[in-house]
Amino acid sequence: MLAALANIFKITELRQKVIFTLAMFVVFRAGTHIPVPGVNAAVIEQLFRSGNLFGLLDMFSGGALSKFSIFAMSITPYINASIILQLLKVVVPTLEQWSKEGEEGFKKTNKLTRVLAVVLGFIQACGMAYGLRMAINNPGIFSIFLIAISLTAGTMLLMWIGEQMTAKGVGNGISLIIFAGIVSRLPDGLKIIFQYLQAGTVNLLNVILFAAIALAMIVFVVIITQGVRKIPVQYAKRVVGRKAYGGHSSYIPLKVNQAGVIPIIFASSVLMFPATIAQFVDVPWVKAMGDIFRWGSVTHTVLYILMILFFTYFYTAVSLDIANMSENLKKNGGFVPGLRPGKATTDYLDTVMSRITLAGAIFLSLIALMPNVIGWMTNIEGIYFGGTALLIVVGVALDTMKQLESMIIMRHYHGFMK
């Protein structure tokens, strides 16, 4: 394993890619400590300890939001823009046409995504600056506008860094930025555990139990993330001139967790919104609504599970076009053994996808609730382990390892993943 990893630095091109990626990580982490002008960071840090919607965004930004740095919004506007355009592709014919135009269509979609990200980023920055105006030293229109411009510029810089990492580094740059932000919170978590041990709040057995559960969760997430249902496909033999083509067998890999981490993000954002609003609006019924939707309450937990189930099916249906998949299979002379091409194949694939999506939705629900379970079993509070963070970290790590694996195999004929 170590020898195989050493091969990365023996290949000049790959070594340059890895070094460039690490250098961009340094730029990202340095930017999280550069505050926007005119803000009292101590007031904002105190607010973010309450675990509201901004706390979820702070996790993605690697602590930049609680410091209110220039990277406070991270690349959330870009992600939101990408999701919105992907959802609109179902109802906007132009976007659907672009998705079928290959590289040219991708460039058009990417350009529109950037423009939409700037618009969403500026709107979000204005809302954040106005909502957190109690932390601004000299609150006013000019100060709010200056802060909004600074935050939007920071997001655009991060977006550019992510694109450069994709082009000149290893892995997907946008995903790696989120990955780095989440992993950067690990030392803080270890520090909290050490403080608990020193204060006698928890004992060594609690820490060992926490580590065992964490390891089991990582293994579980890896298994489900890589889990697929293989649908066998047979291609008919075609004779063109004196040559025969086709006649081979293959399979369609349907992922158990096709929706990825999106359902948890959607459900968390929607349910955390009332509690977040309740902190800024001093109205009795709004405060009562915030208590009902408080994180960990019965109402919140039940709605959380139901919304994860709903968004899992919804996003899977949007992102995976079963009818188009069946049509392409028919055009290429392929068929599922025992089924006629066309509607029968479409119905079969849709039924199989619905069943494995249920398993994926249950998996996402369990992972999303694990932080509460871990806190209850180990008495270790204040450490967010599980849910969105764990899925992103494991998914990005697996994708990056696969890309490194393919690069090494191209030159050494063997990689480091067994």
Side-chain angles (χ1 to χ4, degrees):
M1 177 68 178
L2 294 178
L5 286 174
N7 288 333
I8 295 177
F9 295 94
K10 292 180 181 179
I11 304 170
T12 303
E13 179 186 357
L14 193 52
R15 181 174 65 249
Q16 292 175 348
K17 287 178 174 291
V18 172
I19 293 175
F20 180 82
T21 302
L22 295 176
M24 291 299 99
F25 281 157
V26 173
V27 174
F28 167 59
R29 292 309 302 163
T32 60
H33 297 281
I34 302 176
V36 296
V39 174
N40 188 339
V43 176
I44 294 179
E45 285 188 12
Q46 181 66 30
L47 175 65
F48 279 69
R49 290 171 186 166
S50 56
N52 48 32
L53 176 59
F54 290 132
L56 177 67
L57 299 177
D58 187 45
M59 178 186 66
F60 292 151
S61 65
L65 184 54
S66 59
K67 298 180 179 66
F68 219 62
S69 72
I70 58 173
F71 291 160
M73 294 194 303
S74 187
I75 52 174
T76 304
Y78 180 81
I79 296 173
N80 293 337
S82 301
I83 294 174
I84 290 173
L85 289 181
Q86 189 171 4
L87 296 177
L88 288 178
K89 185 176 66 176
V90 182
V91 295
V92 179
T94 302
L95 295 177
E96 185 179 3
Q97 182 62 33
W98 287 355
S99 65
K100 300 177 181 179
E101 292 180 359
E103 185 65 25
E104 288 300 319
F106 173 77
K107 290 180 180 179
K108 295 177 183 178
T109 305
N110 195 30
K111 183 177 180 180
L112 182 58
T113 304
R114 293 174 183 173
V115 174
L116 183 59
V118 173
V119 175
L120 292 178
F122 183 73
I123 294 174
Q124 181 179 337
C126 290
M128 287 173 55
Y130 180 78
L132 299 174
R133 61 188 181 279
M134 73 287 292
I136 301 177
N137 295 328
N138 297 306
I141 298 297
F142 178 76
S143 297
I144 293 177
F145 181 77
L146 178 62
I147 292 173
I149 290 294
S150 302
L151 293 176
T152 306
T155 295
M156 294 306 103
L157 176 59
L158 266 187
M159 187 174 67
W160 179 82
I161 290 174
E163 292 177 349
Q164 294 302 307
M165 290 172 67
T166 302
K168 302 178 182 179
V170 178
N172 182 284
I174 301 297
S175 300
L176 285 172
I177 288 175
I178 302 176
F179 173 88
I182 295 173
V183 172
S184 66
R185 309 301 296 273
L186 182 60
D188 292 335
L190 296 177
K191 180 181 178 181
I192 292 175
I193 293 178
F194 182 72
Q195 290 174 346
Y196 281 165
L197 284 173
Q198 282 188 322
T201 307
V202 298
N203 53 41
L204 187 59
L205 183 61
N206 294 122
V207 177
I208 294 175
L209 180 60
F210 179 89
I213 296 176
L215 180 60
M217 286 179 62
I218 293 174
V219 173
F220 181 50
V221 170
V222 170
I223 293 174
I224 299 298
T225 300
Q226 294 186 310
V228 294
R229 168 71 185 274
K230 297 180 180 180
I231 306 297
V233 175
Q234 185 69 37
Y235 288 90
K237 184 178 294 186
R238 295 178 296 171
V239 178
V240 181
R242 295 184 178 181
K243 293 184 178 181
Y245 297 90
H248 64 280
S249 59
S250 183
Y251 63 87
I252 300 175
L254 298 178
K255 297 183 66 175
V256 176
N257 184 24
Q258 178 68 32
V261 73
I262 299 300
I264 296 182
I265 295 178
F266 280 2
S268 299
S269 301
V270 171
L271 290 178
M272 284 184 177
F273 187 73
T276 303
I277 294 298
Q279 293 187 347
F280 298 102
V281 180
D282 191 14
V283 177
W285 69 268
V286 176
K287 295 289 185 182
M289 189 65 67
D291 292 335
I292 294 175
F293 287 93
R294 187 184 70 257
W295 178 268
S297 66
V298 176
T299 304
H300 177 276
T301 302
V302 173
L303 289 176
Y304 196 26
I305 294 174
L306 292 177
M307 294 190 74
I308 288 175
L309 293 173
F310 169 76
F311 283 125
T312 301
Y313 274 96
F314 175 77
Y315 193 77
T316 299
V318 170
S319 62
L320 187 65
D321 192 344
I322 296 294
N324 187 49
M325 182 188 301
S326 176
E327 184 64 24
N328 290 335
L329 194 64
K330 182 179 179 180
K331 289 179 180 179
N332 292 311
F335 62 92
V336 178
L339 296 173
R340 292 176 61 86
K343 187 177 185 305
T345 301
T346 302
D347 292 342
Y348 173 74
L349 293 177
D350 188 58
T351 301
V352 172
M353 196 67 227
S354 297
R355 291 175 178 174
I356 64 176
T357 298
L358 177 60
I362 295 174
F363 156 73
L364 289 176
S365 300
L366 292 175
I367 292 297
L369 295 177
M370 280 309 294
N372 293 341
V373 176
I374 291 178
W376 173 71
M377 294 181 64
T378 64
N379 293 324
I380 298 178
E381 303 289 346
I383 299 178
Y384 187 87
F385 186 88
T388 310
L390 183 58
L391 286 172
I392 291 176
V393 168
V394 171
V396 173
L398 289 174
D399 290 340
T400 306
M401 290 283 284
K402 288 178 181 177
Q403 184 171 339
L404 286 171
E405 172 85 354
S406 63
M407 291 179 178
I408 294 177
I409 289 177
M410 287 176 62
R411 296 164 177 82
H412 289 277
Y413 303 103
H414 63 84
F416 55 85
M417 294 176 67
K418 301 296 184 181

